[in-house]
Amino acid sequence: MNGGTKTMTYAYSMDDAVQVANQAATDIEAWLWSKSETISVVNVEDDPDYQRRDVDLIWTTHSGEILIEIKGDRWNKTRNLFFETHSNLEKGTPGCFMYTEADWLFYYFVNTRQLYKLPMPKTREWFLITMKRFRERSTTTPVGGSHYTTVGRLVPITTVMLEVAGIKMEQL
């Protein structure tokens, strides 16, 4: 698809985003705890050191420690993933997809409980080479009397799964 320059903008409230993020973290943590290889699951979303690295969970298994970034989403009907390139356009803040230090990005659709496990940084390296072909979209989120704009690209799930080795889908 031609990425073009037209950007569609949607508005979301901060409460909506927090609710989706909380549901995603709760579901994924419970799923990880149910796995036989799990030794521990630690939520570090509120830890400033891990916030800087954009890591949400530390999953310790018999094989070692795995850093996970969670992206919760409700819009599974589009069959796209939204890879965030700017989290706050007004402040010039890069999107989490561009800088997370996580080993895995867990992209989770809360409505259907479908989890896509994307190996990082391999997925980001592929995206940086191919991102211009994907449609850009932005969302605005009101905060107090102002707002901020999040920008990213819509990446078809089938495309990323075909072109990046190691991506797995799980039904929770």
Side-chain angles (χ1 to χ4, degrees):
M1 286 217 164
N2 182 344
T5 57
K6 185 175 181 186
T7 300
M8 302 271 307
T9 302
Y10 301 93
Y12 298 97
S13 77
M14 188 58 105
D15 287 346
D16 289 344
V18 169
Q19 183 180 0
V20 170
N22 288 344
Q23 184 65 55
T26 299
D27 289 357
I28 290 169
E29 286 177 56
W31 176 73
L32 290 173
W33 275 113
S34 76
K35 315 233 5 112
S36 61
E37 66 266 31
T38 297
I39 295 171
S40 70
V41 179
V42 179
N43 187 314
V44 292
E45 290 175 299
D46 296 328
D47 182 318
D49 291 332
Y50 285 100
Q51 286 173 343
R52 275 190 287 284
R53 299 170 64 192
D54 210 41
V55 170
D56 295 327
L57 298 178
I58 301 171
W59 178 29
T60 305
T61 70
H62 298 294
S63 304
E65 195 174 87
I66 300 165
L67 303 179
I68 298 170
E69 167 62 12
I70 299 171
K71 167 77 169 126
D73 198 333
R74 286 174 302 206
W75 300 105
N76 55 304
K77 287 186 174 73
T78 68
R79 303 300 298 149
N80 291 309
L81 304 178
F82 182 77
F83 289 169
E84 187 181 89
T85 56
H86 295 89
S87 66
N88 186 324
L89 189 62
E90 291 76 12
K91 289 185 178 179
T93 310
C96 70
F97 189 82
M98 305 306 272
Y99 72 90
T100 182
E101 293 179 26
D103 301 309
W104 290 88
L105 172 68
F106 279 16
Y107 198 109
Y108 180 65
F109 290 103
V110 295
N111 296 343
T112 59
R113 296 178 57 86
Q114 285 179 316
L115 172 64
Y116 292 88
K117 301 182 330 188
L118 293 86
M120 297 299 283
K122 185 194 306 187
T123 305
R124 177 175 43 236
E125 290 165 1
W126 166 85
F127 177 70
L128 290 172
I129 293 166
T130 64
M131 69 185 269
K132 294 271 190 250
R133 69 181 166 151
F134 303 118
R135 289 175 294 165
E136 186 170 79
R137 291 291 184 264
S138 62
T139 62
T140 58
T141 304
V143 179
S146 185
H147 75 279
Y148 67 90
T149 306
T150 300
V151 180
R153 302 277 176 155
L154 294 176
V155 179
I157 293 168
T158 52
T159 301
V160 72
M161 289 190 78
L162 284 170
E163 296 182 13
V164 180
I167 295 177
K168 297 179 180 76
M169 194 283 271
E170 303 271 353
Q171 184 67 52
L172 270 54

